[in-house]
Amino acid sequence: MVAQLDLFSRNEELEEIATADLKYLLLPALLGALIMKQTSRDKRLEIVQTARDYFMDFLRRCREYNISQFKLPNPTNANTSPDNASENGNSEAKSVPCSSDLVSMGAQRQAKIERYRQKKLLEARLSDMRRAVDSGQADDEVSRDFYLLNVQRWITVCLEEIESIDQEVEILGKMDVLRQCPVKQPIRPSHHPIKPFILTKDAVQAQVFGAGYPSLPTMTVDDWYEQHRKHGALPDQGIPRKVAAKEDTDVQEMEEEEKEKKAENDDEESLLKARNWDDWKDTHRKGYGNRQNMG
């Protein structure tokens, strides 16, 4: 309907467009954004190319009316078309960038930063003016500024979308090339399992004769002591050695004192036992009856 009514013409200026008609400048951009939301895998290349045409139509119209200063992208995606993608598929995957490429990459990065900054400023101004326009209280000048700011915001959106579309078209073209020329899996030669073999003579000798004793030690004496000390399994653990030695000496002293007291008191039983022990030692030499624990 916009095309049939000829609302926009190349022979007129921006000031000649009515305020109520400015919002229809966004139709190609909105159509392109709507088409990009389609998710058909089989027709993805056709979808992105159609959306790019809508975005380019919107940018050309904005450039004709001189709404904003920007560089118009290439009308056709020559560098990332499917034909060129198939030709590049057989070439090297990576190339060394020259100095001119680095300069262009730096300029593209700076342009993206500037577009992002302008987009944020436009969105902030639009959020302030949207309430007055939606409520119908805005006059003609405020409404006109609101529509023009919205058009400028969509200019930055379309430029970003075209860059992403160009990259996606290149990827889709390479995917088509890979589908047409499937990569053959290399045939791996079959190998028979290798029998284990001994590297040293000592290993064979150890398997035949062993180590010379039933089993190998699993820990040292220090490790065994530390393990038992941690678990509290040592007999003298928790008892100081000095205290234990002192207790032994005290017991011996007490026994000797008791013997002396019994001797002083002329205990008949202790005297008889001592005399018998002396008589036995007189008739038996030292070590008598020791069979070396052989019974």
Side-chain angles (χ1 to χ4, degrees), residues 33-48:
L34 182 62
I35 291 175
M36 286 294 293
K37 293 183 180 295
Q38 298 180 7
T39 57
S40 177
R41 293 185 178 180
D42 298 335
K43 298 181 180 180
R44 183 61 184 174
L45 183 60
E46 181 182 353
I47 289 171
V48 295

Side-chain angles (χ1 to χ4, degrees), residues 239-265:
I239 303 175
R241 294 184 179 180
K242 294 183 179 179
V243 176
K246 186 177 181 181
E247 291 178 356
D248 295 336
T249 54
D250 293 339
V251 171
Q252 292 177 0
E253 289 177 358
M254 290 176 64
E255 291 178 354
E256 291 178 359
E257 288 178 359
E258 289 179 358
K259 291 180 180 179
E260 290 176 359
K261 287 181 181 180
K262 290 180 180 180
E264 291 174 358
N265 295 332

Side-chain angles (χ1 to χ4, degrees), residues 23 25-34 36-37 54-56 58-59 62 67-68 70 115 118-119 122-123 126 130 146-162:
K23 57 186 176 183
L25 284 171
L26 296 173
L27 279 178
L30 297 177
L31 286 172
L34 182 62
M36 286 294 293
K37 293 183 180 295
Y54 278 115
F55 291 142
M56 288 298 300
F58 170 74
L59 292 177
C62 294
I67 296 177
S68 178
F70 61 92
R115 285 201 303 267
Q118 292 180 0
K119 182 179 177 182
L122 291 173
E123 288 178 353
L126 285 171
R130 188 179 301 276
F146 174 76
Y147 292 135
L148 289 177
L149 289 175
N150 210 353
V151 171
Q152 292 176 5
R153 174 183 171 276
W154 272 96
I155 288 174
T156 59
V157 172
C158 290
L159 291 173
E160 294 174 357
E161 289 291 337
I162 287 177

Side-chain angles (χ1 to χ4, degrees), residues 121-245:
L121 292 175
L122 291 173
E123 288 178 353
R125 294 179 60 186
L126 285 171
S127 62
D128 296 336
M129 301 172 63
R130 188 179 301 276
R131 298 177 182 176
V133 174
D134 293 342
S135 62
Q137 299 177 359
D139 55 4
D140 185 74
E141 184 177 359
V142 175
S143 299
R144 190 175 186 84
D145 292 340
F146 174 76
Y147 292 135
L148 289 177
L149 289 175
N150 210 353
V151 171
Q152 292 176 5
R153 174 183 171 276
W154 272 96
I155 288 174
T156 59
V157 172
C158 290
L159 291 173
E160 294 174 357
E161 289 291 337
I162 287 177
E163 288 183 0
S164 63
I165 286 174
D166 292 343
Q167 295 176 0
E168 187 174 356
V169 168
E170 183 177 0
I171 295 172
L172 292 173
K174 291 181 178 180
M175 290 175 62
D176 292 338
V177 173
L178 293 176
R179 290 193 190 99
Q180 295 175 2
C181 301
V183 179
K184 296 181 179 179
Q185 295 292 338
I187 300 174
R188 297 181 179 179
S190 59
H191 296 286
H192 296 287
I194 301 175
K195 295 182 180 180
F197 53 92
I198 305 300
L199 296 177
T200 60
K201 180 181 178 181
D202 297 336
V204 179
Q205 184 178 359
Q207 290 179 0
V208 176
F209 299 103
Y213 40 89
S215 61
L216 296 175
T218 57
M219 64 177 68
T220 62
V221 177
D222 295 335
D223 295 338
W224 178 88
Y225 182 85
E226 289 295 329
Q227 182 178 357
H228 282 66
R229 185 182 63 81
K230 291 180 181 179
H231 295 287
L234 295 176
D236 60 342
Q237 191 169 3
I239 303 175
R241 294 184 179 180
K242 294 183 179 179
V243 176

